[in-house]
Amino acid sequence: MRDLVAKRYVKALIDGRDLKAITEISEKLNEISSAFNSDKFKSIITSPEVSENDKTTLVISLVTGANSALNNFIKLLGEKRRLDLLPLIANDLKIQIAKMNNSYIGVVYTNEELPSNYISSIEEQFSKKFNVKLSLSQKVGGYDGIKVDIDGLGVEISFSKDRLKSQLIDHILKAV
């Protein structure tokens, strides 16, 4: 539900603005959303003891050189008691800017680190396939196989050893 509300605010921020203005707003919102990493800041924003006006003033004070449109936007969020949506709005706005630029960021999940030329090769192939600019980062973890996740495009491709084994067993059992 919060995602849907955030998407509506992002749509309102984008409407009638050029890419440069949207990028400036996005940079300022990213500055603000970084403050949400602090537990103390989150407790202030969610506290019923702090007035909405004080919360709004605090959020506006985090950004230097904010234009009147951004100040009014933050004041509106404060009036509607939705300041806690700022990180979601900043993230969705970043995704929309990527779509406007036709450039996307993806993640390759593996259980061991892959050589950089292999990641570059995957980037190149997917860029050609989807006709976009793609930048992939690598996340080494407990995934047994390879998984490529390109969030803005809604693409997720995976090759799991466990899934391959189970499909092979199913195929053999059907053949018998």
Side-chain angles (χ1 to χ4, degrees), residues 68-164:
S68 62
L70 182 60
N71 286 339
N72 291 337
F73 178 72
I74 293 170
K75 287 177 185 175
L76 175 71
L77 288 175
E79 288 173 11
K80 301 295 181 183
R81 298 180 183 196
R82 292 186 170 157
L83 288 172
D84 60 327
L85 291 178
L86 280 167
L88 291 172
I89 292 169
N91 189 41
D92 284 349
L93 190 58
K94 194 184 310 181
I95 291 169
Q96 291 300 320
I97 290 171
K99 285 181 182 178
M100 293 170 144
N101 289 328
N102 201 26
S103 65
Y104 297 90
I105 299 171
V107 181
V108 178
Y109 298 95
T110 60
N111 60 351
E112 58 186 51
E113 191 164 341
L114 298 173
S116 62
N117 61 346
Y118 190 72
I119 299 294
S120 299
S121 172
I122 294 172
E123 274 181 11
E124 185 179 318
Q125 294 300 320
F126 279 115
S127 293
K128 286 180 187 175
K129 173 77 175 165
F130 296 111
N131 196 24
V132 297
K133 293 179 227 160
L134 180 63
S135 175
L136 291 176
S137 62
Q138 187 174 173
K139 195 171 214 177
V140 179
Y143 191 77
D144 194 26
I146 296 176
K147 177 176 149 183
V148 179
D149 187 16
I150 307 169
D151 193 35
L153 283 175
V155 174
E156 181 179 306
I157 299 167
S158 64
F159 175 79
S160 170
K161 291 178 184 176
D162 291 334
R163 191 175 76 202
L164 180 64

Side-chain angles (χ1 to χ4, degrees), residues 36 42-60 71 73-86:
F36 280 86
K42 278 193 250 183
S43 67
I44 292 171
I45 294 296
T46 57
S47 173
E49 296 172 3
V50 180
S51 73
E52 296 303 320
N53 191 30
D54 290 342
K55 293 176 188 177
T56 304
T57 305
L58 173 65
V59 171
I60 289 174
N71 286 339
F73 178 72
I74 293 170
K75 287 177 185 175
L76 175 71
L77 288 175
E79 288 173 11
K80 301 295 181 183
R81 298 180 183 196
R82 292 186 170 157
L83 288 172
D84 60 327
L85 291 178
L86 280 167

